Amino acid sequence: MPETQAEVRVGIIGSGGIAGLHADYYKRIPYVRVVAVADVVPGRAESFIQRYGFTGAQAYTDYRDMLAREHEMVGVSVCTFNQAHHRPTIDALDAGKHVLVEKPMSVTLEQGLDMVRAARRSGHMLYVGFQSRFEAGVMTARRIVASGRLGKVYYAETGGGRRKGIPGGTFTRQESAGGGAILDIGCYSLDTAMHVMGNPRPLTVSAYTGNHFGTSPVYSKQAWGGGVDPAKFDVEDFGAAMIRLDGDACLFFKISWAMHFDSLGRTFFLGTEGGLDMDAMRIYHDEFGTGAHTDVPKQGPWKDAWFRKVEAFAEALRDGGSAPIPGEDILRSQAILDAIYRSAAAKSEVKVEIPEI
Ligand SMILES: NC(=O)c1ccc[n+]([C@@H]2O[C@H](COP(=O)([O-])OP(=O)(O)OC[C@H]3O[C@@H](n4cnc5c(N)ncnc54)[C@H](O)[C@@H]3O)[C@@H](O)[C@H]2O)c1
C-alpha cells in the first residue's frame, strides 16, 4: 500500500461458505485490511483468520463484542445465513459501521424496512450485495430498456431453474434460511428483472410454491453434498408467481432447485417497440412479423462482477461514497418476495403494500 493511502479496516460477520469470497477479494484490494471476524460457532472465526492469513485480526464469537471493541473498523460484510441478516446489520449500523449485507437483503419485508430505517437513522451505508448488478448482461439490458428502445415494457419473464440443484448446509431449513429456492436464487432473478424494468412499484402477487423434491425420500438423496434429510426439509424447492406492476405491466417469475425439466425458460422483456431476450442479448424490433432482430454485445466495464461488488464497497468506504446498491432500492423486490410467500400460503392473490419509511 502506498504510504499516503489510508487503510480501510473492515470486519466479517459469519465466516461460513460465502465469507471466503469476501475474504479473497478483500485480500486483493491493497488498501483494505480485515481486522476482525465473528462467528457464533466457537473456533470458526479463528480458523477462518488463519486460513486467509489475516495477521493480527481478532476473532469473536459474539459479533456485538466485535462492534463494541473494533473502533477503527469502518465497515462489515454480513455473511450470515438469511435469518441472521437483520439483527447484525441493524446492530452494525447503529454501532456506526457501514454494511455490505449478502443477498437476499432479508427474509421478510418488515426486516428489510427495519434495516433501511437503521441506515437512515445512522447515516451509514446499507449496501445489498447483488453481484449480478455488475454483470455486463444486466447492465446492458438496463441501458436498453432505459433508452426507450423497447418502448413501454408491459411484460417480462424471469427466473432460472435448476434441474438438480438442492443445496445442503443451512439453506434448506426455515430457522436459518427463512425460505428455499425463492430466497436463495429467485432473489437474483427478481432483482434483475425489477432493476432492468426501472424498479416499478409492485401492486399484487399471485404465487405458488412447492417442495416435492427436498421432502422426497428418493430425490432428497440427490441434494448437493450427499443429500438432505427429507424430514427436516421445510422450505420450498419450486416457486412461480405473477406480479402486477404499476403502469399496467406484468412480471412472470419462476424458479426451481429441482424439477423434471431442463429449463424454466429465458429471461425476456416485451415492449411496444421491441422485445429483448436477455439470455441471448437479442432485440426483436420494428418489422413486426418478419423475424427481424439485432444482437447486442454485452457491455460492462468489469470482467469479474463478484470482485467488483467487494471493490465497490471498499471504494465507497475509502472515498465516503454512497451505497453502490442501497437497501432502499431493494425494498420493492423484497416486498415481492414477501408477497410470494404470503400468496402461496393463502392460495390466493395478495396486495403488495410498502409502508413509508
Ligand atoms: N452472493 C452470492 O453469490 C452468494 C452465494 C452463496 C451464499 N450467499 C449468501 O450468503 C449468506 C451466507 O451463506 P453461506 O453459504 O456462507 O452460509 P453458511 O451457513 O455456510 O455460513 C453462515 C455462517 O454464519 C454464521 N452465523 C450465523 N448466525 C450468526 C451470528 N448471529 N453471528 C455470527 N455468525 C453467525 C454461521 O455459524 C455460519 O458460519 C446467505 O445469506 C446466502 O444467501 C451469497
Side-chain angles (χ1 to χ4, degrees), residues 13-19 38-41 44 61 63 79-82 84-85 88 102-104 129 131 170-171 183-184 188 306 309:
I13 303 178
S15 58
I18 209 57
D39 199 294
V40 275
V41 177
R44 194 171 274 184
T61 45
Y63 73 85
C79 297
T80 45
F81 41 69
N82 305 341
H85 285 186
E102 264 302 336
K103 48 54 63 176
Q131 68 271 12
T170 54
F171 284 82
L183 278 187
D184 176 29
Y188 286 116
W306 236 110
K309 150 170 140 174

PDB file of all heavy atoms in Angstrom, residues 13-19 38-41 44 61 63 79-82 84-85 88 102-104 129 131 170-171 183-184 188 306 309, ligand 1:
ATOM      1  N   ILE A  13     -18.862 -10.648   9.536  1.00  0.00           N
ATOM      2  CA  ILE A  13     -19.749 -11.342  10.481  1.00  0.00           C
ATOM      3  C   ILE A  13     -20.292 -12.580   9.767  1.00  0.00           C
ATOM      4  O   ILE A  13     -20.955 -12.459   8.738  1.00  0.00           O
ATOM      5  CB  ILE A  13     -20.910 -10.433  10.953  1.00  0.00           C
ATOM      6  CG1 ILE A  13     -20.376  -9.148  11.590  1.00  0.00           C
ATOM      7  CG2 ILE A  13     -21.810 -11.194  11.938  1.00  0.00           C
ATOM      8  CD1 ILE A  13     -21.456  -8.170  12.054  1.00  0.00           C
ATOM      9  N   GLY A  14     -20.003 -13.753  10.334  1.00  0.00           N
ATOM     10  CA  GLY A  14     -20.383 -15.015   9.689  1.00  0.00           C
ATOM     11  C   GLY A  14     -19.248 -15.475   8.805  1.00  0.00           C
ATOM     12  O   GLY A  14     -18.964 -14.867   7.776  1.00  0.00           O
ATOM     13  N   SER A  15     -18.562 -16.560   9.222  1.00  0.00           N
ATOM     14  CA  SER A  15     -17.392 -16.999   8.451  1.00  0.00           C
ATOM     15  C   SER A  15     -17.622 -18.379   7.852  1.00  0.00           C
ATOM     16  O   SER A  15     -16.796 -19.273   7.956  1.00  0.00           O
ATOM     17  CB  SER A  15     -16.135 -16.972   9.326  1.00  0.00           C
ATOM     18  OG  SER A  15     -16.302 -17.804  10.455  1.00  0.00           O
ATOM     19  N   GLY A  16     -18.790 -18.542   7.209  1.00  0.00           N
ATOM     20  CA  GLY A  16     -19.098 -19.795   6.518  1.00  0.00           C
ATOM     21  C   GLY A  16     -18.646 -19.729   5.073  1.00  0.00           C
ATOM     22  O   GLY A  16     -17.638 -19.086   4.740  1.00  0.00           O
ATOM     23  N   GLY A  17     -19.432 -20.369   4.198  1.00  0.00           N
ATOM     24  CA  GLY A  17     -19.049 -20.521   2.794  1.00  0.00           C
ATOM     25  C   GLY A  17     -18.763 -19.217   2.066  1.00  0.00           C
ATOM     26  O   GLY A  17     -17.665 -19.013   1.541  1.00  0.00           O
ATOM     27  N   ILE A  18     -19.725 -18.311   2.053  1.00  0.00           N
ATOM     28  CA  ILE A  18     -19.577 -17.146   1.177  1.00  0.00           C
ATOM     29  C   ILE A  18     -18.585 -16.125   1.731  1.00  0.00           C
ATOM     30  O   ILE A  18     -18.003 -15.329   0.973  1.00  0.00           O
ATOM     31  CB  ILE A  18     -20.946 -16.489   0.887  1.00  0.00           C
ATOM     32  CG1 ILE A  18     -20.922 -15.818  -0.487  1.00  0.00           C
ATOM     33  CG2 ILE A  18     -21.355 -15.491   1.953  1.00  0.00           C
ATOM     34  CD1 ILE A  18     -20.574 -16.750  -1.619  1.00  0.00           C
ATOM     35  N   ALA A  19     -18.371 -16.157   3.033  1.00  0.00           N
ATOM     36  CA  ALA A  19     -17.407 -15.220   3.621  1.00  0.00           C
ATOM     37  C   ALA A  19     -16.030 -15.399   2.986  1.00  0.00           C
ATOM     38  O   ALA A  19     -15.247 -14.441   2.877  1.00  0.00           O
ATOM     39  CB  ALA A  19     -17.334 -15.430   5.138  1.00  0.00           C
ATOM     40  N   ALA A  38     -16.227 -12.476  13.092  1.00  0.00           N
ATOM     41  CA  ALA A  38     -17.083 -13.028  14.154  1.00  0.00           C
ATOM     42  C   ALA A  38     -17.900 -14.184  13.608  1.00  0.00           C
ATOM     43  O   ALA A  38     -18.426 -14.111  12.497  1.00  0.00           O
ATOM     44  CB  ALA A  38     -18.025 -11.948  14.689  1.00  0.00           C
ATOM     45  N   ASP A  39     -17.980 -15.251  14.387  1.00  0.00           N
ATOM     46  CA  ASP A  39     -18.890 -16.358  14.045  1.00  0.00           C
ATOM     47  C   ASP A  39     -19.373 -16.997  15.342  1.00  0.00           C
ATOM     48  O   ASP A  39     -18.570 -17.205  16.263  1.00  0.00           O
ATOM     49  CB  ASP A  39     -18.199 -17.410  13.161  1.00  0.00           C
ATOM     50  CG  ASP A  39     -19.219 -18.282  12.432  1.00  0.00           C
ATOM     51  OD1 ASP A  39     -19.956 -19.047  13.108  1.00  0.00           O
ATOM     52  OD2 ASP A  39     -19.311 -18.164  11.198  1.00  0.00           O
ATOM     53  N   VAL A  40     -20.660 -17.330  15.384  1.00  0.00           N
ATOM     54  CA  VAL A  40     -21.226 -17.913  16.603  1.00  0.00           C
ATOM     55  C   VAL A  40     -20.655 -19.284  16.928  1.00  0.00           C
ATOM     56  O   VAL A  40     -20.692 -19.702  18.083  1.00  0.00           O
ATOM     57  CB  VAL A  40     -22.781 -18.079  16.541  1.00  0.00           C
ATOM     58  CG1 VAL A  40     -23.477 -16.827  16.944  1.00  0.00           C
ATOM     59  CG2 VAL A  40     -23.240 -18.597  15.207  1.00  0.00           C
ATOM     60  N   VAL A  41     -20.172 -19.975  15.936  1.00  0.00           N
ATOM     61  CA  VAL A  41     -19.621 -21.314  16.208  1.00  0.00           C
ATOM     62  C   VAL A  41     -18.209 -21.143  16.764  1.00  0.00           C
ATOM     63  O   VAL A  41     -17.328 -20.609  16.074  1.00  0.00           O
ATOM     64  CB  VAL A  41     -19.594 -22.180  14.926  1.00  0.00           C
ATOM     65  CG1 VAL A  41     -18.956 -23.536  15.199  1.00  0.00           C
ATOM     66  CG2 VAL A  41     -21.002 -22.347  14.358  1.00  0.00           C
ATOM     67  N   ARG A  44     -14.590 -21.126  14.821  1.00  0.00           N
ATOM     68  CA  ARG A  44     -14.733 -20.974  13.370  1.00  0.00           C
ATOM     69  C   ARG A  44     -14.083 -19.673  12.874  1.00  0.00           C
ATOM     70  O   ARG A  44     -13.406 -19.674  11.832  1.00  0.00           O
ATOM     71  CB  ARG A  44     -16.215 -21.015  12.988  1.00  0.00           C
ATOM     72  CG  ARG A  44     -16.404 -21.210  11.510  1.00  0.00           C
ATOM     73  CD  ARG A  44     -17.849 -21.471  11.144  1.00  0.00           C
ATOM     74  NE  ARG A  44     -18.220 -22.864  11.247  1.00  0.00           N
ATOM     75  CZ  ARG A  44     -19.414 -23.359  10.915  1.00  0.00           C
ATOM     76  NH1 ARG A  44     -20.351 -22.563  10.467  1.00  0.00           N
ATOM     77  NH2 ARG A  44     -19.669 -24.639  11.024  1.00  0.00           N
ATOM     78  N   THR A  61     -16.811 -14.612  19.023  1.00  0.00           N
ATOM     79  CA  THR A  61     -17.997 -15.462  18.855  1.00  0.00           C
ATOM     80  C   THR A  61     -19.270 -14.619  18.921  1.00  0.00           C
ATOM     81  O   THR A  61     -20.293 -15.025  18.388  1.00  0.00           O
ATOM     82  CB  THR A  61     -18.082 -16.571  19.936  1.00  0.00           C
ATOM     83  OG1 THR A  61     -17.789 -15.999  21.189  1.00  0.00           O
ATOM     84  CG2 THR A  61     -17.154 -17.726  19.637  1.00  0.00           C
ATOM     85  N   TYR A  63     -20.726 -11.154  17.701  1.00  0.00           N
ATOM     86  CA  TYR A  63     -20.400 -10.026  16.819  1.00  0.00           C
ATOM     87  C   TYR A  63     -20.605  -8.671  17.524  1.00  0.00           C
ATOM     88  O   TYR A  63     -20.016  -7.671  17.156  1.00  0.00           O
ATOM     89  CB  TYR A  63     -21.236 -10.097  15.526  1.00  0.00           C
ATOM     90  CG  TYR A  63     -22.699  -9.748  15.717  1.00  0.00           C
ATOM     91  CD1 TYR A  63     -23.139  -8.428  15.682  1.00  0.00           C
ATOM     92  CD2 TYR A  63     -23.644 -10.738  15.957  1.00  0.00           C
ATOM     93  CE1 TYR A  63     -24.466  -8.100  15.888  1.00  0.00           C
ATOM     94  CE2 TYR A  63     -24.970 -10.422  16.165  1.00  0.00           C
ATOM     95  CZ  TYR A  63     -25.377  -9.101  16.128  1.00  0.00           C
ATOM     96  OH  TYR A  63     -26.684  -8.775  16.340  1.00  0.00           O
ATOM     97  N   CYS A  79     -22.204 -11.856   6.406  1.00  0.00           N
ATOM     98  CA  CYS A  79     -22.197 -13.090   5.604  1.00  0.00           C
ATOM     99  C   CYS A  79     -22.861 -14.237   6.357  1.00  0.00           C
ATOM    100  O   CYS A  79     -22.510 -15.402   6.164  1.00  0.00           O
ATOM    101  CB  CYS A  79     -20.767 -13.479   5.246  1.00  0.00           C
ATOM    102  SG  CYS A  79     -19.942 -12.262   4.234  1.00  0.00           S
ATOM    103  N   THR A  80     -23.788 -13.900   7.231  1.00  0.00           N
ATOM    104  CA  THR A  80     -24.529 -14.910   7.980  1.00  0.00           C
ATOM    105  C   THR A  80     -25.639 -15.475   7.106  1.00  0.00           C
ATOM    106  O   THR A  80     -25.963 -14.911   6.059  1.00  0.00           O
ATOM    107  CB  THR A  80     -25.150 -14.239   9.212  1.00  0.00           C
ATOM    108  OG1 THR A  80     -25.739 -13.002   8.778  1.00  0.00           O
ATOM    109  CG2 THR A  80     -24.103 -13.915  10.251  1.00  0.00           C
ATOM    110  N   PHE A  81     -26.271 -16.578   7.545  1.00  0.00           N
ATOM    111  CA  PHE A  81     -27.416 -17.084   6.771  1.00  0.00           C
ATOM    112  C   PHE A  81     -28.566 -16.083   6.854  1.00  0.00           C
ATOM    113  O   PHE A  81     -28.590 -15.196   7.708  1.00  0.00           O
ATOM    114  CB  PHE A  81     -27.801 -18.507   7.187  1.00  0.00           C
ATOM    115  CG  PHE A  81     -27.778 -18.785   8.673  1.00  0.00           C
ATOM    116  CD1 PHE A  81     -28.705 -18.197   9.511  1.00  0.00           C
ATOM    117  CD2 PHE A  81     -26.831 -19.643   9.225  1.00  0.00           C
ATOM    118  CE1 PHE A  81     -28.709 -18.461  10.869  1.00  0.00           C
ATOM    119  CE2 PHE A  81     -26.808 -19.918  10.585  1.00  0.00           C
ATOM    120  CZ  PHE A  81     -27.750 -19.314  11.406  1.00  0.00           C
ATOM    121  N   ASN A  82     -29.549 -16.251   5.953  1.00  0.00           N
ATOM    122  CA  ASN A  82     -30.571 -15.215   5.739  1.00  0.00           C
ATOM    123  C   ASN A  82     -31.271 -14.735   7.015  1.00  0.00           C
ATOM    124  O   ASN A  82     -31.517 -13.545   7.183  1.00  0.00           O
ATOM    125  CB  ASN A  82     -31.660 -15.713   4.774  1.00  0.00           C
ATOM    126  CG  ASN A  82     -31.097 -16.187   3.461  1.00  0.00           C
ATOM    127  OD1 ASN A  82     -29.977 -15.839   3.105  1.00  0.00           O
ATOM    128  ND2 ASN A  82     -31.865 -16.981   2.725  1.00  0.00           N
ATOM    129  N   ALA A  84     -30.208 -14.414   9.817  1.00  0.00           N
ATOM    130  CA  ALA A  84     -29.321 -13.599  10.657  1.00  0.00           C
ATOM    131  C   ALA A  84     -28.741 -12.409   9.874  1.00  0.00           C
ATOM    132  O   ALA A  84     -27.648 -11.941  10.186  1.00  0.00           O
ATOM    133  CB  ALA A  84     -28.212 -14.467  11.257  1.00  0.00           C
ATOM    134  N   HIS A  85     -29.449 -11.935   8.859  1.00  0.00           N
ATOM    135  CA  HIS A  85     -29.014 -10.693   8.201  1.00  0.00           C
ATOM    136  C   HIS A  85     -29.517  -9.476   8.973  1.00  0.00           C
ATOM    137  O   HIS A  85     -28.835  -8.464   9.110  1.00  0.00           O
ATOM    138  CB  HIS A  85     -29.576 -10.614   6.773  1.00  0.00           C
ATOM    139  CG  HIS A  85     -28.880 -11.520   5.801  1.00  0.00           C
ATOM    140  ND1 HIS A  85     -29.138 -11.514   4.456  1.00  0.00           N
ATOM    141  CD2 HIS A  85     -27.928 -12.468   5.987  1.00  0.00           C
ATOM    142  CE1 HIS A  85     -28.385 -12.414   3.845  1.00  0.00           C
ATOM    143  NE2 HIS A  85     -27.650 -13.011   4.762  1.00  0.00           N
ATOM    144  N   PRO A  88     -27.772  -8.476  12.972  1.00  0.00           N
ATOM    145  CA  PRO A  88     -26.384  -7.984  12.890  1.00  0.00           C
ATOM    146  C   PRO A  88     -26.252  -6.730  12.020  1.00  0.00           C
ATOM    147  O   PRO A  88     -25.456  -5.839  12.327  1.00  0.00           O
ATOM    148  CB  PRO A  88     -25.627  -9.165  12.268  1.00  0.00           C
ATOM    149  CG  PRO A  88     -26.422 -10.360  12.635  1.00  0.00           C
ATOM    150  CD  PRO A  88     -27.859  -9.912  12.616  1.00  0.00           C
ATOM    151  N   GLU A 102     -25.024  -9.666   2.497  1.00  0.00           N
ATOM    152  CA  GLU A 102     -25.237 -10.632   1.416  1.00  0.00           C
ATOM    153  C   GLU A 102     -26.708 -10.667   1.011  1.00  0.00           C
ATOM    154  O   GLU A 102     -27.592 -10.276   1.770  1.00  0.00           O
ATOM    155  CB  GLU A 102     -24.766 -12.039   1.862  1.00  0.00           C
ATOM    156  CG  GLU A 102     -23.362 -12.366   1.423  1.00  0.00           C
ATOM    157  CD  GLU A 102     -23.177 -12.286  -0.111  1.00  0.00           C
ATOM    158  OE1 GLU A 102     -24.160 -12.418  -0.849  1.00  0.00           O
ATOM    159  OE2 GLU A 102     -22.037 -12.078  -0.542  1.00  0.00           O
ATOM    160  N   LYS A 103     -26.967 -11.155  -0.202  1.00  0.00           N
ATOM    161  CA  LYS A 103     -28.330 -11.337  -0.671  1.00  0.00           C
ATOM    162  C   LYS A 103     -28.934 -12.580  -0.036  1.00  0.00           C
ATOM    163  O   LYS A 103     -28.177 -13.471   0.334  1.00  0.00           O
ATOM    164  CB  LYS A 103     -28.415 -11.419  -2.197  1.00  0.00           C
ATOM    165  CG  LYS A 103     -27.421 -12.368  -2.878  1.00  0.00           C
ATOM    166  CD  LYS A 103     -27.314 -13.806  -2.483  1.00  0.00           C
ATOM    167  CE  LYS A 103     -28.494 -14.711  -2.680  1.00  0.00           C
ATOM    168  NZ  LYS A 103     -28.196 -16.134  -2.332  1.00  0.00           N
ATOM    169  N   PRO A 104     -30.247 -12.684   0.098  1.00  0.00           N
ATOM    170  CA  PRO A 104     -31.231 -11.618  -0.063  1.00  0.00           C
ATOM    171  C   PRO A 104     -31.095 -10.633   1.088  1.00  0.00           C
ATOM    172  O   PRO A 104     -30.563 -10.990   2.146  1.00  0.00           O
ATOM    173  CB  PRO A 104     -32.556 -12.374   0.025  1.00  0.00           C
ATOM    174  CG  PRO A 104     -32.264 -13.535   0.922  1.00  0.00           C
ATOM    175  CD  PRO A 104     -30.853 -13.938   0.614  1.00  0.00           C
ATOM    176  N   GLY A 129     -25.602  -6.896  -1.425  1.00  0.00           N
ATOM    177  CA  GLY A 129     -24.586  -7.439  -2.340  1.00  0.00           C
ATOM    178  C   GLY A 129     -25.091  -8.311  -3.469  1.00  0.00           C
ATOM    179  O   GLY A 129     -24.767  -9.503  -3.524  1.00  0.00           O
ATOM    180  N   GLN A 131     -24.183  -9.223  -6.739  1.00  0.00           N
ATOM    181  CA  GLN A 131     -23.102  -9.072  -7.718  1.00  0.00           C
ATOM    182  C   GLN A 131     -23.633  -9.078  -9.155  1.00  0.00           C
ATOM    183  O   GLN A 131     -23.001  -8.560 -10.072  1.00  0.00           O
ATOM    184  CB  GLN A 131     -22.013 -10.142  -7.537  1.00  0.00           C
ATOM    185  CG  GLN A 131     -22.411 -11.555  -7.859  1.00  0.00           C
ATOM    186  CD  GLN A 131     -22.988 -12.280  -6.648  1.00  0.00           C
ATOM    187  OE1 GLN A 131     -23.299 -11.666  -5.633  1.00  0.00           O
ATOM    188  NE2 GLN A 131     -23.139 -13.581  -6.738  1.00  0.00           N
ATOM    189  N   THR A 170     -27.071 -24.914   5.598  1.00  0.00           N
ATOM    190  CA  THR A 170     -28.109 -24.139   6.287  1.00  0.00           C
ATOM    191  C   THR A 170     -29.224 -23.686   5.347  1.00  0.00           C
ATOM    192  O   THR A 170     -30.148 -23.011   5.779  1.00  0.00           O
ATOM    193  CB  THR A 170     -27.469 -22.893   6.933  1.00  0.00           C
ATOM    194  OG1 THR A 170     -26.748 -22.164   5.907  1.00  0.00           O
ATOM    195  CG2 THR A 170     -26.510 -23.261   8.039  1.00  0.00           C
ATOM    196  N   PHE A 171     -29.131 -24.058   4.073  1.00  0.00           N
ATOM    197  CA  PHE A 171     -30.042 -23.499   3.060  1.00  0.00           C
ATOM    198  C   PHE A 171     -31.442 -24.119   3.045  1.00  0.00           C
ATOM    199  O   PHE A 171     -32.347 -23.545   2.471  1.00  0.00           O
ATOM    200  CB  PHE A 171     -29.422 -23.623   1.658  1.00  0.00           C
ATOM    201  CG  PHE A 171     -28.354 -22.606   1.406  1.00  0.00           C
ATOM    202  CD1 PHE A 171     -27.060 -22.801   1.862  1.00  0.00           C
ATOM    203  CD2 PHE A 171     -28.639 -21.429   0.727  1.00  0.00           C
ATOM    204  CE1 PHE A 171     -26.071 -21.852   1.653  1.00  0.00           C
ATOM    205  CE2 PHE A 171     -27.667 -20.475   0.519  1.00  0.00           C
ATOM    206  CZ  PHE A 171     -26.371 -20.692   0.981  1.00  0.00           C
ATOM    207  N   LEU A 183     -35.797 -17.513  -2.057  1.00  0.00           N
ATOM    208  CA  LEU A 183     -34.888 -16.566  -1.387  1.00  0.00           C
ATOM    209  C   LEU A 183     -33.445 -16.775  -1.828  1.00  0.00           C
ATOM    210  O   LEU A 183     -32.671 -15.823  -1.929  1.00  0.00           O
ATOM    211  CB  LEU A 183     -34.956 -16.712   0.134  1.00  0.00           C
ATOM    212  CG  LEU A 183     -36.091 -16.019   0.878  1.00  0.00           C
ATOM    213  CD1 LEU A 183     -35.889 -16.150   2.380  1.00  0.00           C
ATOM    214  CD2 LEU A 183     -36.209 -14.551   0.507  1.00  0.00           C
ATOM    215  N   ASP A 184     -33.081 -18.012  -2.107  1.00  0.00           N
ATOM    216  CA  ASP A 184     -31.685 -18.311  -2.417  1.00  0.00           C
ATOM    217  C   ASP A 184     -31.298 -17.817  -3.813  1.00  0.00           C
ATOM    218  O   ASP A 184     -30.385 -16.988  -3.947  1.00  0.00           O
ATOM    219  CB  ASP A 184     -31.456 -19.832  -2.308  1.00  0.00           C
ATOM    220  CG  ASP A 184     -30.041 -20.224  -2.703  1.00  0.00           C
ATOM    221  OD1 ASP A 184     -29.122 -19.390  -2.531  1.00  0.00           O
ATOM    222  OD2 ASP A 184     -29.841 -21.351  -3.196  1.00  0.00           O
ATOM    223  N   TYR A 188     -32.166 -13.199  -7.076  1.00  0.00           N
ATOM    224  CA  TYR A 188     -31.354 -12.610  -8.164  1.00  0.00           C
ATOM    225  C   TYR A 188     -32.235 -12.289  -9.370  1.00  0.00           C
ATOM    226  O   TYR A 188     -32.141 -11.219  -9.957  1.00  0.00           O
ATOM    227  CB  TYR A 188     -30.294 -13.602  -8.660  1.00  0.00           C
ATOM    228  CG  TYR A 188     -29.121 -13.817  -7.764  1.00  0.00           C
ATOM    229  CD1 TYR A 188     -28.881 -15.060  -7.202  1.00  0.00           C
ATOM    230  CD2 TYR A 188     -28.209 -12.797  -7.511  1.00  0.00           C
ATOM    231  CE1 TYR A 188     -27.780 -15.284  -6.395  1.00  0.00           C
ATOM    232  CE2 TYR A 188     -27.106 -13.018  -6.715  1.00  0.00           C
ATOM    233  CZ  TYR A 188     -26.899 -14.260  -6.154  1.00  0.00           C
ATOM    234  OH  TYR A 188     -25.805 -14.480  -5.360  1.00  0.00           O
ATOM    235  N   TRP A 306     -18.141 -10.313  -9.245  1.00  0.00           N
ATOM    236  CA  TRP A 306     -18.014 -10.608  -7.819  1.00  0.00           C
ATOM    237  C   TRP A 306     -16.945  -9.730  -7.166  1.00  0.00           C
ATOM    238  O   TRP A 306     -17.145  -9.170  -6.095  1.00  0.00           O
ATOM    239  CB  TRP A 306     -17.665 -12.087  -7.623  1.00  0.00           C
ATOM    240  CG  TRP A 306     -18.640 -12.789  -6.743  1.00  0.00           C
ATOM    241  CD1 TRP A 306     -19.545 -13.719  -7.111  1.00  0.00           C
ATOM    242  CD2 TRP A 306     -18.790 -12.591  -5.330  1.00  0.00           C
ATOM    243  NE1 TRP A 306     -20.259 -14.115  -6.011  1.00  0.00           N
ATOM    244  CE2 TRP A 306     -19.825 -13.450  -4.912  1.00  0.00           C
ATOM    245  CE3 TRP A 306     -18.169 -11.777  -4.387  1.00  0.00           C
ATOM    246  CZ2 TRP A 306     -20.248 -13.525  -3.597  1.00  0.00           C
ATOM    247  CZ3 TRP A 306     -18.589 -11.840  -3.065  1.00  0.00           C
ATOM    248  CH2 TRP A 306     -19.606 -12.709  -2.683  1.00  0.00           C
ATOM    249  N   LYS A 309     -18.148  -6.200  -6.864  1.00  0.00           N
ATOM    250  CA  LYS A 309     -19.083  -5.968  -5.756  1.00  0.00           C
ATOM    251  C   LYS A 309     -18.323  -5.591  -4.476  1.00  0.00           C
ATOM    252  O   LYS A 309     -18.681  -4.627  -3.793  1.00  0.00           O
ATOM    253  CB  LYS A 309     -19.928  -7.238  -5.550  1.00  0.00           C
ATOM    254  CG  LYS A 309     -20.411  -7.518  -4.157  1.00  0.00           C
ATOM    255  CD  LYS A 309     -21.407  -8.654  -4.164  1.00  0.00           C
ATOM    256  CE  LYS A 309     -21.248  -9.605  -3.013  1.00  0.00           C
ATOM    257  NZ  LYS A 309     -22.295 -10.625  -2.956  1.00  0.00           N
TER     258      LYS A 309
HETATM  259  N1  LIG B   1     -23.637 -13.677  -3.409  1.00  0.00           N
HETATM  260  C1  LIG B   1     -23.510 -14.971  -3.618  1.00  0.00           C
HETATM  261  O1  LIG B   1     -23.110 -15.437  -4.690  1.00  0.00           O
HETATM  262  C2  LIG B   1     -23.861 -15.908  -2.505  1.00  0.00           C
HETATM  263  C3  LIG B   1     -23.561 -17.275  -2.629  1.00  0.00           C
HETATM  264  C4  LIG B   1     -23.846 -18.096  -1.554  1.00  0.00           C
HETATM  265  C5  LIG B   1     -24.470 -17.593  -0.422  1.00  0.00           C
HETATM  266  N2  LIG B   1     -24.796 -16.267  -0.351  1.00  0.00           N
HETATM  267  C6  LIG B   1     -25.493 -15.724   0.824  1.00  0.00           C
HETATM  268  O2  LIG B   1     -24.567 -15.616   1.896  1.00  0.00           O
HETATM  269  C7  LIG B   1     -25.190 -15.914   3.141  1.00  0.00           C
HETATM  270  C8  LIG B   1     -24.409 -16.993   3.841  1.00  0.00           C
HETATM  271  O3  LIG B   1     -24.329 -18.136   3.031  1.00  0.00           O
HETATM  272  P1  LIG B   1     -23.227 -19.265   3.325  1.00  0.00           P
HETATM  273  O4  LIG B   1     -23.305 -20.234   2.219  1.00  0.00           O
HETATM  274  O5  LIG B   1     -21.932 -18.624   3.653  1.00  0.00           O
HETATM  275  O6  LIG B   1     -23.876 -19.896   4.649  1.00  0.00           O
HETATM  276  P2  LIG B   1     -23.129 -20.704   5.793  1.00  0.00           P
HETATM  277  O7  LIG B   1     -24.207 -21.374   6.581  1.00  0.00           O
HETATM  278  O8  LIG B   1     -22.021 -21.516   5.198  1.00  0.00           O
HETATM  279  O9  LIG B   1     -22.417 -19.595   6.686  1.00  0.00           O
HETATM  280  C9  LIG B   1     -23.111 -18.742   7.560  1.00  0.00           C
HETATM  281  C10 LIG B   1     -22.215 -18.522   8.766  1.00  0.00           C
HETATM  282  O10 LIG B   1     -22.823 -17.516   9.589  1.00  0.00           O
HETATM  283  C11 LIG B   1     -22.622 -17.910  10.938  1.00  0.00           C
HETATM  284  N3  LIG B   1     -23.601 -17.199  11.748  1.00  0.00           N
HETATM  285  C12 LIG B   1     -24.946 -17.382  11.797  1.00  0.00           C
HETATM  286  N4  LIG B   1     -25.509 -16.505  12.661  1.00  0.00           N
HETATM  287  C13 LIG B   1     -24.510 -15.738  13.144  1.00  0.00           C
HETATM  288  C14 LIG B   1     -24.435 -14.644  14.053  1.00  0.00           C
HETATM  289  N5  LIG B   1     -25.543 -14.158  14.635  1.00  0.00           N
HETATM  290  N6  LIG B   1     -23.242 -14.111  14.342  1.00  0.00           N
HETATM  291  C15 LIG B   1     -22.115 -14.590  13.764  1.00  0.00           C
HETATM  292  N7  LIG B   1     -22.106 -15.628  12.892  1.00  0.00           N
HETATM  293  C16 LIG B   1     -23.286 -16.188  12.582  1.00  0.00           C
HETATM  294  C17 LIG B   1     -22.769 -19.411  10.926  1.00  0.00           C
HETATM  295  O11 LIG B   1     -22.216 -20.009  12.067  1.00  0.00           O
HETATM  296  C18 LIG B   1     -22.030 -19.759   9.646  1.00  0.00           C
HETATM  297  O12 LIG B   1     -20.648 -19.980   9.879  1.00  0.00           O
HETATM  298  C19 LIG B   1     -26.626 -16.307   2.815  1.00  0.00           C
HETATM  299  O13 LIG B   1     -27.478 -15.222   3.051  1.00  0.00           O
HETATM  300  C20 LIG B   1     -26.597 -16.621   1.325  1.00  0.00           C
HETATM  301  O14 LIG B   1     -27.820 -16.301   0.667  1.00  0.00           O
HETATM  302  C21 LIG B   1     -24.464 -15.427  -1.357  1.00  0.00           C
END
